[in-house]
Amino acid sequence: MASMANIRDVARQAGVSIATVSAALNRSGTVSEKTLRRILDAVDAVGYAPNGIARSLRMGRSQLFGLIVSEITNPFFGTLTRAIEKAAHDAGYAVIICNSDEDEARELELLELLRVQRVAGVILSPSGQGTAYREKLTREIGAPLITIDRRIEGLDRDFIGLDNRAAGRMITEYVLRLGHRRIAFIGGRAGLSTSDERYQGFCEALHDIGLQPDPAICLRADFRGEAAYMVAQPLLSGRNRPTAIVAANNVMALGALQAIGDLGFRCPQDISLAAIDDFPWSTALRPRLTAIAQPIEEMGRIAVDYLLDRVGEIETVPAARSQIFAPTLIARDSCVALEQ
Amino acid sequence: MASMANIRDVARQAGVSIATVSAALNRSGTVSEKTLRRILDAVDAVGYAPNGIARSLRMGRSQLFGLIVSEITNPFFGTLTRAIEKAAHDAGYAVIICNSDEDEARELELLELLRVQRVAGVILSPSGQGTAYREKLTREIGAPLITIDRRIEGLDRDFIGLDNRAAGRMITEYVLRLGHRRIAFIGGRAGLSTSDERYQGFCEALHDIGLQPDPAICLRADFRGEAAYMVAQPLLSGRNRPTAIVAANNVMALGALQAIGDLGFRCPQDISLAAIDDFPWSTALRPRLTAIAQPIEEMGRIAVDYLLDRVGEIETVPAARSQIFAPTLIARDSCVALEQ
DNA sequence: GTCATCAATCTAAACGTTATCTTTGTCGAG
DNA sequence: CTCGACAAAGATAACGTTTAGATTGATGAC
């Protein structure tokens, strides 16, 4: 591959200095109409595209954002990635995608990779927890970092996410209103805000009407559908079976749904099912899934906005902002009133 | 944000020259045990991370790959992205993700963006077609480019994909074996290999037993689920309704499934449904979806392998390779034998 | 005629690496 | 004592930009 034309080639072709070429192409400085045209012609003639690497080096920062999610194939993160990629491109940034695979150590490695690449900013959906982890996140990565979806308690960074407690409460209150009293909860990984807070909301809704959550049917499946499938089977086979299940995310709801079907039960006739986190084709399911929705695209856009704000300012360090979205209940067919 | 420590700071701290630091950290040149240790200590002390931008500029290429897909939220591309990201990271490359949104113009813009970023290579699932488009792809982008999933006829590049004709044939032959004779086809965007070849396979299977595809029930839905939903409704409501539907990808199958349900039909009792392209939670559906699967993870790994091969060699330009995978039929519940 | 003004352009110094030479110092052979 | 060999480390020139500051003419005011 012949090495690509550079600004010097353009300058030579147009018969001007490289400074003039730079000024012309960036519309900085004053360049006469005539030479501008000559330069533009020269660009075409030699097939020039500016070298972003050299520019980044000179300017001190790249035109790249880093995005770390725990699992791209989860529709939530897929949709989020799409929104972030779009907003970033609109602002002239490209996005490096990283999959942490729910692994704290891997996530920290990825952060180091992004640091080496000198990304202009990082959007992180964190997978770790604990003080040591938080310290490492606080350690200067050399670029603004904001968090999304999962909140790290005590981390002083911008955050965009769902009001998870309200979401847990909202879906549970809905199920309770339908008359259910024995409600199972399939939770995510302990220690993550999306898991703990959703469970907290679940408990609060029960408490409000004088009920206690039964630990025997409050389970964990690490946000993975397969785990939910495994965990749902004994839940359904055991005696004193719940009349409804609340799953703490979309893929766990799918796992539970599959377990329900595989064991020969029918949803919602035999058991109701609700999820926190809707997903694109939940209306294609039979029954159509009752779920809590969140404004994922908007979250992605705002994350990029927040980041752009921080990339712009060099010295001032404004306080961490956060935007917490209210959940929306979408009642469909997978939850029905309990026949008395 | 105070600007980050650079190699000069490390050199000063360790009391050596920057050349020695570079040699030490890259294990090139000869560095004594003692100074190596001093340098490593200095790295820790000043919190140094090498500047990948400067390195890229000096070395003439970045440690970045570009990946352009038509729609990240499609589970196929989600899984593919995940596999590519993993393989790339294992080889020391980060991945810039780009969503072309099935838009040829946007895709070409994204290629230009990647060119400016001087990525070391590009993996492209193309959305465009036609001679002009192919010419533009052939125009030097400054880095090796390989194609995946969708093949551009006459483009002399590495390609990894499914044997789409075999896939279309395989799923159709299966449906025919179940006794169906009036089979609808919901296709993707005309002109794309995944669409045209799958349809071709469909037609061939019909021809083989002396049947002609009926144009009235061979429809297009641009690979989008919503479009499939729209297109399936008249198909189901009209008279002389098909007894089976073959959808040319996963999300179109979901759209069709939803239409079937919304119009009060049951699958598979009233109508059978099969898809080319499996998806992660197809077994959670009731009925579980009969589909053609492809080895997506392996495709991603091989794409990265191909790219790494081309990145390595500077001068030699070996002929374009391609790897075409055989489809796998996964018979589940959504297709049943036609009662005579 | 002189001089300040201003537009248009150029010169050259960074940015942080890597890699090619050079330099320095030590040791052993002759 | 001299010299080559070799290990260890340093000086420095790129890589392709941007940008601050210098230079060059042309123009107009006095």
Side-chain angles (χ1 to χ4, degrees), chain B residues 220-276:
Chain B
R220 297 212 168 275
D222 287 1
F223 286 133
R224 295 178 308 122
E226 293 80 359
Y229 178 75
M230 300 304 289
V231 121
Q233 284 177 314
L235 179 70
L236 294 164
S237 316
R239 69 184 121 80
N240 203 4
R241 179 159 51 86
T243 64
I245 298 177
V246 171
N249 83 348
N250 46 17
V251 297
M252 291 195 296
L254 289 173
L257 188 61
Q258 180 165 356
I260 292 170
D262 285 2
L263 292 180
F265 295 108
R266 292 159 309 156
C267 174
Q269 298 93 322
D270 299 322
I271 189 163
S272 286
L273 176 66
I276 301 175

Short mmCIF file of all heavy atoms in Angstrom, two decimals, chain B residues 220-276:
data_model
loop_
_atom_site.label_atom_id
_atom_site.label_comp_id
_atom_site.label_asym_id
_atom_site.label_seq_id
_atom_site.Cartn_x
_atom_site.Cartn_y
_atom_site.Cartn_z
N ARG B 220 -41.08 -8.11 -0.13
CA ARG B 220 -39.82 -7.52 0.37
C ARG B 220 -40.10 -6.67 1.59
O ARG B 220 -41.11 -5.96 1.66
CB ARG B 220 -39.18 -6.63 -0.70
CG ARG B 220 -38.79 -7.36 -1.94
CD ARG B 220 -37.56 -6.76 -2.59
NE ARG B 220 -37.08 -7.66 -3.62
CZ ARG B 220 -36.26 -8.67 -3.36
NH1 ARG B 220 -35.84 -8.89 -2.12
NH2 ARG B 220 -35.86 -9.46 -4.33
N ALA B 221 -39.19 -6.74 2.54
CA ALA B 221 -39.39 -5.94 3.75
C ALA B 221 -38.08 -5.30 4.21
O ALA B 221 -37.94 -4.94 5.38
CB ALA B 221 -39.99 -6.80 4.85
N ASP B 222 -37.12 -5.20 3.30
CA ASP B 222 -35.88 -4.43 3.59
C ASP B 222 -35.16 -4.87 4.86
O ASP B 222 -34.50 -4.06 5.52
CB ASP B 222 -36.20 -2.94 3.72
CG ASP B 222 -36.50 -2.33 2.38
OD1 ASP B 222 -36.47 -3.08 1.38
OD2 ASP B 222 -36.75 -1.12 2.32
N PHE B 223 -35.30 -6.12 5.22
CA PHE B 223 -34.62 -6.66 6.41
C PHE B 223 -35.11 -6.09 7.74
O PHE B 223 -34.52 -6.35 8.77
CB PHE B 223 -33.09 -6.46 6.33
CG PHE B 223 -32.42 -7.37 5.35
CD1 PHE B 223 -31.50 -6.88 4.43
CD2 PHE B 223 -32.69 -8.73 5.35
CE1 PHE B 223 -30.88 -7.73 3.52
CE2 PHE B 223 -32.07 -9.58 4.45
CZ PHE B 223 -31.16 -9.08 3.53
N ARG B 224 -36.16 -5.30 7.69
CA ARG B 224 -36.63 -4.70 8.94
C ARG B 224 -37.91 -5.37 9.42
O ARG B 224 -38.81 -5.70 8.65
CB ARG B 224 -36.87 -3.20 8.74
CG ARG B 224 -35.56 -2.45 8.44
CD ARG B 224 -35.81 -0.98 8.20
NE ARG B 224 -36.84 -0.75 7.20
CZ ARG B 224 -37.95 -0.06 7.40
NH1 ARG B 224 -38.18 0.49 8.57
NH2 ARG B 224 -38.83 0.09 6.45
N GLY B 225 -37.98 -5.55 10.72
CA GLY B 225 -39.10 -6.24 11.32
C GLY B 225 -40.41 -5.50 11.12
O GLY B 225 -41.45 -6.11 10.84
N GLU B 226 -40.35 -4.19 11.27
CA GLU B 226 -41.57 -3.38 11.12
C GLU B 226 -42.14 -3.56 9.71
O GLU B 226 -43.34 -3.72 9.53
CB GLU B 226 -41.28 -1.89 11.35
CG GLU B 226 -40.88 -1.53 12.76
CD GLU B 226 -39.42 -1.83 13.05
OE1 GLU B 226 -38.71 -2.35 12.15
OE2 GLU B 226 -38.98 -1.58 14.18
N ALA B 227 -41.26 -3.52 8.73
CA ALA B 227 -41.71 -3.66 7.35
C ALA B 227 -42.31 -5.04 7.13
O ALA B 227 -43.32 -5.20 6.43
CB ALA B 227 -40.55 -3.42 6.39
N ALA B 228 -41.69 -6.05 7.76
CA ALA B 228 -42.22 -7.41 7.61
C ALA B 228 -43.62 -7.50 8.22
O ALA B 228 -44.51 -8.15 7.68
CB ALA B 228 -41.28 -8.41 8.28
N TYR B 229 -43.79 -6.81 9.32
CA TYR B 229 -45.09 -6.80 9.99
C TYR B 229 -46.15 -6.19 9.06
O TYR B 229 -47.24 -6.74 8.89
CB TYR B 229 -44.98 -5.99 11.28
CG TYR B 229 -46.26 -5.84 12.04
CD1 TYR B 229 -46.77 -6.91 12.77
CD2 TYR B 229 -46.96 -4.63 12.05
CE1 TYR B 229 -47.95 -6.78 13.49
CE2 TYR B 229 -48.13 -4.48 12.76
CZ TYR B 229 -48.64 -5.56 13.47
OH TYR B 229 -49.79 -5.44 14.17
N MET B 230 -45.79 -5.08 8.43
CA MET B 230 -46.72 -4.40 7.54
C MET B 230 -47.08 -5.27 6.34
O MET B 230 -48.23 -5.33 5.91
CB MET B 230 -46.10 -3.09 7.02
CG MET B 230 -45.73 -2.09 8.09
SD MET B 230 -47.13 -1.67 9.14
CE MET B 230 -48.09 -0.70 7.97
N VAL B 231 -46.08 -5.93 5.82
CA VAL B 231 -46.22 -6.69 4.59
C VAL B 231 -46.94 -8.02 4.84
O VAL B 231 -47.63 -8.56 3.96
CB VAL B 231 -44.81 -6.86 3.99
CG1 VAL B 231 -44.45 -8.31 3.84
CG2 VAL B 231 -44.68 -6.09 2.71
N ALA B 232 -46.81 -8.51 6.06
CA ALA B 232 -47.41 -9.82 6.37
C ALA B 232 -48.91 -9.71 6.57
O ALA B 232 -49.64 -10.68 6.35
CB ALA B 232 -46.75 -10.40 7.63
N GLN B 233 -49.37 -8.54 6.95
CA GLN B 233 -50.80 -8.41 7.24
C GLN B 233 -51.69 -8.65 6.02
O GLN B 233 -52.57 -9.50 6.08
CB GLN B 233 -51.07 -7.06 7.90
CG GLN B 233 -50.61 -7.09 9.36
CD GLN B 233 -50.79 -5.75 10.05
OE1 GLN B 233 -50.44 -4.72 9.51
NE2 GLN B 233 -51.33 -5.79 11.25
N PRO B 234 -51.48 -7.92 4.93
CA PRO B 234 -52.29 -8.24 3.74
C PRO B 234 -52.07 -9.68 3.27
O PRO B 234 -53.01 -10.33 2.81
CB PRO B 234 -51.78 -7.24 2.68
CG PRO B 234 -50.53 -6.67 3.22
CD PRO B 234 -50.60 -6.78 4.70
N LEU B 235 -50.86 -10.15 3.42
CA LEU B 235 -50.55 -11.52 3.01
C LEU B 235 -51.46 -12.51 3.73
O LEU B 235 -51.97 -13.46 3.14
CB LEU B 235 -49.08 -11.82 3.35
CG LEU B 235 -48.58 -13.22 3.02
CD1 LEU B 235 -48.46 -13.39 1.52
CD2 LEU B 235 -47.22 -13.47 3.68
N LEU B 236 -51.68 -12.25 5.03
CA LEU B 236 -52.46 -13.18 5.85
C LEU B 236 -53.96 -12.95 5.67
O LEU B 236 -54.76 -13.88 5.80
CB LEU B 236 -52.09 -13.01 7.33
CG LEU B 236 -50.65 -13.42 7.66
CD1 LEU B 236 -50.22 -12.87 9.01
CD2 LEU B 236 -50.52 -14.94 7.64
N SER B 237 -54.32 -11.71 5.39
CA SER B 237 -55.74 -11.39 5.29
C SER B 237 -56.31 -11.78 3.93
O SER B 237 -57.50 -12.08 3.81
CB SER B 237 -55.97 -9.89 5.49
OG SER B 237 -55.20 -9.43 6.57
N GLY B 238 -55.47 -11.72 2.90
CA GLY B 238 -55.95 -12.03 1.56
C GLY B 238 -56.47 -13.46 1.47
O GLY B 238 -56.23 -14.28 2.35
N ARG B 239 -57.19 -13.73 0.41
CA ARG B 239 -57.61 -15.12 0.27
C ARG B 239 -56.51 -15.91 -0.44
O ARG B 239 -55.55 -15.31 -0.94
CB ARG B 239 -58.95 -15.21 -0.48
CG ARG B 239 -58.92 -14.86 -1.93
CD ARG B 239 -60.34 -14.91 -2.52
NE ARG B 239 -60.69 -13.60 -3.06
CZ ARG B 239 -60.27 -13.17 -4.26
NH1 ARG B 239 -59.52 -13.93 -5.01
NH2 ARG B 239 -60.62 -11.98 -4.70
N ASN B 240 -56.62 -17.17 -0.42
CA ASN B 240 -55.55 -18.05 -0.88
C ASN B 240 -54.28 -17.82 -0.06
O ASN B 240 -53.19 -17.64 -0.58
CB ASN B 240 -55.26 -17.83 -2.38
CG ASN B 240 -54.59 -19.06 -2.98
OD1 ASN B 240 -54.41 -20.08 -2.28
ND2 ASN B 240 -54.22 -18.99 -4.24
N ARG B 241 -54.50 -17.77 1.23
CA ARG B 241 -53.44 -17.55 2.20
C ARG B 241 -52.40 -18.67 2.11
O ARG B 241 -52.75 -19.83 1.93
CB ARG B 241 -54.10 -17.54 3.58
CG ARG B 241 -53.22 -17.35 4.75
CD ARG B 241 -54.04 -16.85 5.95
NE ARG B 241 -55.22 -17.65 6.23
CZ ARG B 241 -55.20 -18.76 6.99
NH1 ARG B 241 -54.09 -19.17 7.53
NH2 ARG B 241 -56.32 -19.43 7.22
N PRO B 242 -51.10 -18.34 2.25
CA PRO B 242 -50.07 -19.38 2.25
C PRO B 242 -50.18 -20.23 3.51
O PRO B 242 -50.73 -19.80 4.52
CB PRO B 242 -48.77 -18.58 2.27
CG PRO B 242 -49.13 -17.25 2.84
CD PRO B 242 -50.54 -16.98 2.39
N THR B 243 -49.64 -21.43 3.43
CA THR B 243 -49.64 -22.29 4.62
C THR B 243 -48.32 -22.18 5.37
O THR B 243 -48.19 -22.71 6.47
CB THR B 243 -49.87 -23.76 4.24
OG1 THR B 243 -48.75 -24.19 3.43
CG2 THR B 243 -51.15 -23.93 3.44
N ALA B 244 -47.36 -21.52 4.76
CA ALA B 244 -46.08 -21.34 5.43
C ALA B 244 -45.42 -20.06 4.94
O ALA B 244 -45.66 -19.60 3.83
CB ALA B 244 -45.16 -22.53 5.16
N ILE B 245 -44.59 -19.49 5.81
CA ILE B 245 -43.83 -18.29 5.46
C ILE B 245 -42.35 -18.56 5.72
O ILE B 245 -41.99 -19.09 6.78
CB ILE B 245 -44.27 -17.07 6.30
CG1 ILE B 245 -45.74 -16.72 6.06
CG2 ILE B 245 -43.37 -15.87 6.01
CD1 ILE B 245 -46.25 -15.58 6.92
N VAL B 246 -41.52 -18.18 4.75
CA VAL B 246 -40.07 -18.18 4.97
C VAL B 246 -39.62 -16.72 5.03
O VAL B 246 -39.88 -15.95 4.11
CB VAL B 246 -39.33 -18.91 3.84
CG1 VAL B 246 -37.82 -18.69 3.97
CG2 VAL B 246 -39.66 -20.39 3.86
N ALA B 247 -38.98 -16.36 6.13
CA ALA B 247 -38.49 -14.98 6.27
C ALA B 247 -36.98 -14.98 6.05
O ALA B 247 -36.27 -15.85 6.54
CB ALA B 247 -38.83 -14.42 7.64
N ALA B 248 -36.49 -13.97 5.33
CA ALA B 248 -35.09 -13.97 4.93
C ALA B 248 -34.14 -13.48 6.03
O ALA B 248 -32.93 -13.50 5.84
CB ALA B 248 -34.89 -13.14 3.67
N ASN B 249 -34.67 -13.02 7.14
CA ASN B 249 -33.79 -12.85 8.31
C ASN B 249 -34.58 -12.94 9.61
O ASN B 249 -35.81 -13.12 9.61
CB ASN B 249 -32.93 -11.59 8.22
CG ASN B 249 -33.65 -10.34 8.68
OD1 ASN B 249 -34.87 -10.35 8.87
ND2 ASN B 249 -32.91 -9.27 8.83
N ASN B 250 -33.89 -12.79 10.71
CA ASN B 250 -34.49 -13.02 12.02
C ASN B 250 -35.56 -11.98 12.40
O ASN B 250 -36.67 -12.34 12.79
CB ASN B 250 -33.41 -13.09 13.08
CG ASN B 250 -32.39 -11.96 12.95
OD1 ASN B 250 -32.63 -10.95 12.27
ND2 ASN B 250 -31.25 -12.12 13.59
N VAL B 251 -35.22 -10.70 12.26
CA VAL B 251 -36.19 -9.71 12.71
C VAL B 251 -37.42 -9.67 11.82
O VAL B 251 -38.53 -9.37 12.28
CB VAL B 251 -35.56 -8.29 12.84
CG1 VAL B 251 -34.47 -8.29 13.90
CG2 VAL B 251 -35.04 -7.80 11.51
N MET B 252 -37.26 -10.02 10.55
CA MET B 252 -38.45 -10.09 9.70
C MET B 252 -39.34 -11.25 10.14
O MET B 252 -40.57 -11.16 10.09
CB MET B 252 -38.05 -10.21 8.24
CG MET B 252 -37.40 -8.94 7.70
SD MET B 252 -37.30 -8.89 5.90
CE MET B 252 -36.21 -10.25 5.57
N ALA B 253 -38.73 -12.32 10.61
CA ALA B 253 -39.52 -13.43 11.13
C ALA B 253 -40.31 -12.98 12.35
O ALA B 253 -41.49 -13.34 12.52
CB ALA B 253 -38.62 -14.61 11.49
N LEU B 254 -39.68 -12.17 13.18
CA LEU B 254 -40.39 -11.67 14.36
C LEU B 254 -41.56 -10.78 13.95
O LEU B 254 -42.65 -10.87 14.53
CB LEU B 254 -39.42 -10.88 15.25
CG LEU B 254 -38.39 -11.73 15.98
CD1 LEU B 254 -37.36 -10.85 16.70
CD2 LEU B 254 -39.09 -12.65 16.97
N GLY B 255 -41.31 -9.94 12.96
CA GLY B 255 -42.39 -9.09 12.48
C GLY B 255 -43.55 -9.93 11.95
O GLY B 255 -44.72 -9.65 12.24
N ALA B 256 -43.22 -10.97 11.21
CA ALA B 256 -44.26 -11.84 10.66
C ALA B 256 -44.99 -12.55 11.79
O ALA B 256 -46.22 -12.67 11.77
CB ALA B 256 -43.63 -12.86 9.71
N LEU B 257 -44.23 -13.00 12.77
CA LEU B 257 -44.83 -13.70 13.90
C LEU B 257 -45.83 -12.81 14.62
O LEU B 257 -46.92 -13.23 15.01
CB LEU B 257 -43.73 -14.14 14.86
CG LEU B 257 -44.17 -15.04 16.00
CD1 LEU B 257 -44.75 -16.35 15.47
CD2 LEU B 257 -43.00 -15.32 16.94
N GLN B 258 -45.43 -11.55 14.77
CA GLN B 258 -46.32 -10.61 15.44
C GLN B 258 -47.59 -10.40 14.62
O GLN B 258 -48.69 -10.36 15.16
CB GLN B 258 -45.60 -9.28 15.66
CG GLN B 258 -46.50 -8.27 16.35
CD GLN B 258 -45.72 -7.11 16.89
OE1 GLN B 258 -44.49 -7.09 16.82
NE2 GLN B 258 -46.43 -6.15 17.45
N ALA B 259 -47.44 -10.29 13.31
CA ALA B 259 -48.61 -10.11 12.45
C ALA B 259 -49.54 -11.32 12.56
O ALA B 259 -50.76 -11.17 12.65
CB ALA B 259 -48.16 -9.91 11.01
N ILE B 260 -48.93 -12.49 12.56
CA ILE B 260 -49.73 -13.71 12.69
C ILE B 260 -50.57 -13.66 13.96
O ILE B 260 -51.78 -13.89 13.96
CB ILE B 260 -48.81 -14.95 12.69
CG1 ILE B 260 -48.17 -15.14 11.31
CG2 ILE B 260 -49.58 -16.20 13.10
CD1 ILE B 260 -47.07 -16.19 11.27
N GLY B 261 -49.89 -13.30 15.06
CA GLY B 261 -50.59 -13.24 16.34
C GLY B 261 -51.65 -12.15 16.36
O GLY B 261 -52.78 -12.37 16.81
N ASP B 262 -51.30 -10.98 15.87
CA ASP B 262 -52.21 -9.84 15.94
C ASP B 262 -53.48 -10.06 15.11
O ASP B 262 -54.53 -9.51 15.42
CB ASP B 262 -51.51 -8.56 15.47
CG ASP B 262 -50.54 -8.04 16.51
OD1 ASP B 262 -50.39 -8.70 17.57
OD2 ASP B 262 -49.91 -7.00 16.29
N LEU B 263 -53.35 -10.85 14.05
CA LEU B 263 -54.53 -11.11 13.22
C LEU B 263 -55.33 -12.30 13.74
O LEU B 263 -56.30 -12.72 13.11
CB LEU B 263 -54.11 -11.34 11.77
CG LEU B 263 -53.55 -10.10 11.07
CD1 LEU B 263 -53.16 -10.42 9.64
CD2 LEU B 263 -54.57 -8.96 11.09
N GLY B 264 -54.90 -12.85 14.85
CA GLY B 264 -55.66 -13.93 15.47
C GLY B 264 -55.36 -15.31 14.92
O GLY B 264 -56.06 -16.27 15.22
N PHE B 265 -54.29 -15.41 14.16
CA PHE B 265 -53.89 -16.74 13.70
C PHE B 265 -52.94 -17.35 14.72
O PHE B 265 -52.33 -16.66 15.54
CB PHE B 265 -53.19 -16.66 12.34
CG PHE B 265 -54.08 -16.18 11.25
CD1 PHE B 265 -53.93 -14.91 10.71
CD2 PHE B 265 -55.10 -17.01 10.76
CE1 PHE B 265 -54.76 -14.47 9.70
CE2 PHE B 265 -55.93 -16.56 9.75
CZ PHE B 265 -55.77 -15.28 9.21
N ARG B 266 -52.81 -18.66 14.64
CA ARG B 266 -51.87 -19.33 15.52
C ARG B 266 -50.76 -19.94 14.67
O ARG B 266 -51.01 -20.47 13.59
CB ARG B 266 -52.59 -20.43 16.33
CG ARG B 266 -53.58 -19.90 17.35
CD ARG B 266 -54.56 -20.98 17.71
NE ARG B 266 -55.15 -21.57 16.48
CZ ARG B 266 -55.67 -22.78 16.40
NH1 ARG B 266 -55.69 -23.56 17.48
NH2 ARG B 266 -56.17 -23.22 15.26
N CYS B 267 -49.56 -19.83 15.21
CA CYS B 267 -48.41 -20.47 14.58
C CYS B 267 -47.97 -21.57 15.51
O CYS B 267 -47.79 -21.33 16.70
CB CYS B 267 -47.29 -19.44 14.38
SG CYS B 267 -45.74 -20.13 13.75
N PRO B 268 -47.82 -22.78 15.06
CA PRO B 268 -47.82 -23.24 13.66
C PRO B 268 -49.16 -23.84 13.21
O PRO B 268 -49.25 -24.26 12.06
CB PRO B 268 -46.77 -24.34 13.70
CG PRO B 268 -46.93 -24.95 15.05
CD PRO B 268 -47.34 -23.84 15.97
N GLN B 269 -50.19 -23.87 14.09
CA GLN B 269 -51.41 -24.57 13.70
C GLN B 269 -52.03 -24.00 12.42
O GLN B 269 -52.45 -24.74 11.53
CB GLN B 269 -52.46 -24.52 14.83
CG GLN B 269 -52.01 -25.20 16.10
CD GLN B 269 -51.36 -24.24 17.08
OE1 GLN B 269 -50.64 -23.33 16.67
NE2 GLN B 269 -51.59 -24.44 18.36
N ASP B 270 -52.10 -22.65 12.36
CA ASP B 270 -52.71 -22.03 11.19
C ASP B 270 -51.71 -21.76 10.08
O ASP B 270 -52.05 -21.76 8.90
CB ASP B 270 -53.38 -20.71 11.59
CG ASP B 270 -54.47 -20.93 12.62
OD1 ASP B 270 -55.18 -21.96 12.52
OD2 ASP B 270 -54.59 -20.12 13.55
N ILE B 271 -50.49 -21.48 10.48
CA ILE B 271 -49.47 -21.17 9.47
C ILE B 271 -48.09 -21.46 10.04
O ILE B 271 -47.83 -21.20 11.22
CB ILE B 271 -49.60 -19.70 9.01
CG1 ILE B 271 -48.69 -19.43 7.81
CG2 ILE B 271 -49.31 -18.73 10.14
CD1 ILE B 271 -49.06 -18.17 7.06
N SER B 272 -47.25 -22.04 9.22
CA SER B 272 -45.88 -22.33 9.66
C SER B 272 -44.99 -21.14 9.34
O SER B 272 -45.26 -20.35 8.44
CB SER B 272 -45.36 -23.58 8.96
OG SER B 272 -45.95 -24.74 9.52
N LEU B 273 -43.89 -21.02 10.10
CA LEU B 273 -42.97 -19.89 9.92
C LEU B 273 -41.54 -20.38 10.09
O LEU B 273 -41.24 -21.12 11.04
CB LEU B 273 -43.28 -18.79 10.94
CG LEU B 273 -42.34 -17.58 10.94
CD1 LEU B 273 -42.44 -16.79 9.65
CD2 LEU B 273 -42.66 -16.67 12.15
N ALA B 274 -40.67 -19.97 9.18
CA ALA B 274 -39.25 -20.34 9.30
C ALA B 274 -38.40 -19.13 8.95
O ALA B 274 -38.81 -18.29 8.15
CB ALA B 274 -38.92 -21.49 8.36
N ALA B 275 -37.23 -19.07 9.57
CA ALA B 275 -36.37 -17.91 9.35
C ALA B 275 -34.98 -18.34 8.91
O ALA B 275 -34.49 -19.40 9.30
CB ALA B 275 -36.26 -17.09 10.63
N ILE B 276 -34.36 -17.51 8.08
CA ILE B 276 -32.94 -17.67 7.81
C ILE B 276 -32.24 -16.67 8.72
O ILE B 276 -32.48 -15.46 8.60
CB ILE B 276 -32.61 -17.36 6.34
CG1 ILE B 276 -33.41 -18.30 5.45
CG2 ILE B 276 -31.12 -17.50 6.09
CD1 ILE B 276 -33.25 -18.02 3.97
#
